[in-house]
């Protein structure tokens, strides 16, 4: 563990399409915010870049822009740098550093900043340092994407996570803990324990974990400080830094007709006809 985060196993290597500048621009444009121009030089940074798949793919798509990735796990940064080198990219910079150690000249002013799988998974001091750094570097009109465990969706999952966290010995590595925790959850689910009967969404969540790489579960469930936030808490923290909520990266959630049941469309301010 380091800063409360699992560091004994590497994260899975995946591409995250919602981190793409065009996708972030679209989410903002849905709600009337001006997109960042992409046909001129711009800067993009992934705080917690993991193996750098997303950063490298995007760097290849936008050779006239500069892509930065920060991660405190050596193995991640090495993989990211190797990919960049093999791909012949000249517009990436990866840094092996904690968010708490970033210095003024480590990064330029940013057009885009992304932080996926970080806010809910690090300790309070790291979270503050991370947000402070990204907020101060965003250019006016710059776009920040944050991904976190959101309430109330996570309300039923938190006891499940606490159960496997406390039942699996901490002298095991995180992947071993994930494996043992998943076996325990599968047993409870298959036996139709009341907790699962009362929370059918958890049956689906466990079945999904059974299909996924255990390294994902290790990073998702075995960080010491795992927290879930209400949207209002995150919005408040960002507004205190002078940012405005510009939209949801899950695009259909920006469309009221699709995001909420029709019986709720007429609630004040949401009705199509009240515009
Ligand atoms: C869920 S992963 C993000 C994956 C990544 N964005 C991608 O595209 O694959 C979170 C990452 O944050 C990194 N991380 C966690 N705490 C950190 C800290 N204090 N400083 C720097 N990196 C950190 C982890 O090593 C991990 O790679």
């Amino acid at each position: 563990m380091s800063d409360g985060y699992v560091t004994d196993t590497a994260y899975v290597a995946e591409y995250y399409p919602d981190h793409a500048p065009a996708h972030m621009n679209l989410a903002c444009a849905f709600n009337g915010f001006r997109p960042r121009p992409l046909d001129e030089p711009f800067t993009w940074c992934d705080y917690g870049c993991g193996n750098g798949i997303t950063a490298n793919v995007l760097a290849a798509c936008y050779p006239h822009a500069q892509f930065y990735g920060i991660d405190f796990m050596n193995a991640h940064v090495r993989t990211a740098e190797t990919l960049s080198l093999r791909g012949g990219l000249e517009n990436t910079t990866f840094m092996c550093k904690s968010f708490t150690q970033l210095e003024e000249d480590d990064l330029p002013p940013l057009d885009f900043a992304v932080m996926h799988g970080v806010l809910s998974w690090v300790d309070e001091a790291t979270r503050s340092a991370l947000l402070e750094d990204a907020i101060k570097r965003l250019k006016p009109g710059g776009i920040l994407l944050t991904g976190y465990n959101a309430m109330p969706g996570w309300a039923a999952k938190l006891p499940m996570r606490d159960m496997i966290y406390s039942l699996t010995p901490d002298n095991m590595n995180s992947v071993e803990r994930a494996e043992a925790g998943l076996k325990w959850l599968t047993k409870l689910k298959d036996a139709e324990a009341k907790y699962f009967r009362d929370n059918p969404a958890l049956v689906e969540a466990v079945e999904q974990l059974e299909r996924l790489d255990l390294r994902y579960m290790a990073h998702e469930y075995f960080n010491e400080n795992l927290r879930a936030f209400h949207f209002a808490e995150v919005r408040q923290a960002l507004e205190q830094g002078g940012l405005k909520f510009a939209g949801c990266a899950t695009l259909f959630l920006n469309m009221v007709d699709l995001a909420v049941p029709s019986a709720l469309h007429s609630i004040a301010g949401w009705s199509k006809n009240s515009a």
Side-chain angles (χ1 to χ4, degrees):
M1 292 275 179
S2 183
D3 297 345
Y5 192 91
V6 161
T7 49
D8 60 7
T9 182
Y11 190 59
V12 290
E14 276 182 25
Y15 172 70
Y16 293 91
D18 60 1
H19 294 19
H23 186 106
M24 288 164 72
N25 269 348
L26 183 59
C28 294
F30 262 126
N31 299 301
F33 289 86
R34 188 185 294 275
R36 304 296 293 164
L38 302 182
D39 53 355
E40 51 192 64
F42 64 86
T43 52
W44 178 103
C45 177
D46 189 352
Y47 286 87
C49 62
N51 295 298
I53 310 289
T54 308
N56 277 309
V57 168
L58 293 174
C61 294
Y62 297 98
H64 58 288
Q66 290 300 320
F67 288 79
Y68 298 83
I70 313 221
D71 205 289
F72 67 177
M73 280 183 66
N74 232 318
H76 288 168
V77 171
R78 261 184 304 163
T79 306
E81 285 177 338
T82 305
L83 278 174
S84 173
L85 206 66
R86 289 203 186 147
L89 302 178
E90 289 179 354
N91 58 338
T92 62
T93 308
F94 294 101
M95 259 169 274
C96 190
K97 271 200 166 187
S98 168
F99 307 135
T100 54
Q101 295 166 338
L102 287 171
E103 287 169 29
E104 205 53 44
D105 57 359
D106 278 337
L107 291 167
L110 297 170
D111 291 285
F112 297 94
V114 300
M115 45 183 76
H116 164 85
V118 183
L119 275 194
S120 282
W121 292 265
V122 294
D123 61 29
E124 188 57 49
T126 308
R127 190 161 37 245
S128 305
L130 165 67
L131 285 178
E132 201 178 303
D133 194 88
I135 288 170
K136 93 172 171 211
R137 293 189 201 271
L138 268 192
K139 294 181 186 174
I143 304 175
L144 167 68
L145 177 140
T146 58
Y148 56 94
N149 286 339
M151 293 290 254
W154 255 77
K157 267 193 187 170
L158 284 174
M160 175 173 110
R161 179 268 174 187
D162 290 347
M163 180 167 55
I164 55 175
Y165 191 82
S166 60
L167 284 179
T168 52
D170 59 10
N171 61 356
M172 285 179 166
N173 71 39
S174 310
V175 168
E176 289 166 346
R177 289 181 82 179
E179 191 172 15
L182 185 55
K183 272 195 188 136
W184 176 242
L185 293 177
T186 300
K187 208 176 262 184
L188 293 180
K189 167 184 73 81
D190 291 347
E192 299 183 6
K194 183 168 182 336
Y195 176 47
F196 282 92
R197 293 201 313 277
D198 289 349
N199 298 283
L202 294 183
V203 172
E204 214 176 291
V206 172
E207 283 170 357
Q208 192 189 23
L209 287 174
E210 287 164 350
R211 289 191 295 272
L212 292 174
D213 190 319
L214 282 172
R215 290 173 303 163
Y216 166 80
M217 184 170 169
H219 279 255
E220 180 76 17
Y221 284 88
F222 286 89
N223 288 307
E224 194 179 344
N225 302 288
L226 187 83
R227 279 196 59 188
F229 295 105
H230 292 279
F231 165 74
E233 293 175 273
V234 177
R235 183 172 64 183
Q236 190 186 25
L238 295 174
E239 279 181 356
Q240 274 166 4
L243 304 195
K244 262 192 198 154
F245 176 67
C248 184
T250 306
L251 295 177
F252 79 91
L253 292 179
N254 295 292
M255 295 170 249
V256 170
D257 291 1
L258 300 178
V260 296
S262 54
L264 300 177
H265 290 176
S266 58
I267 289 178
W270 282 5
S271 166
K272 272 188 300 191
N273 303 326
S274 71

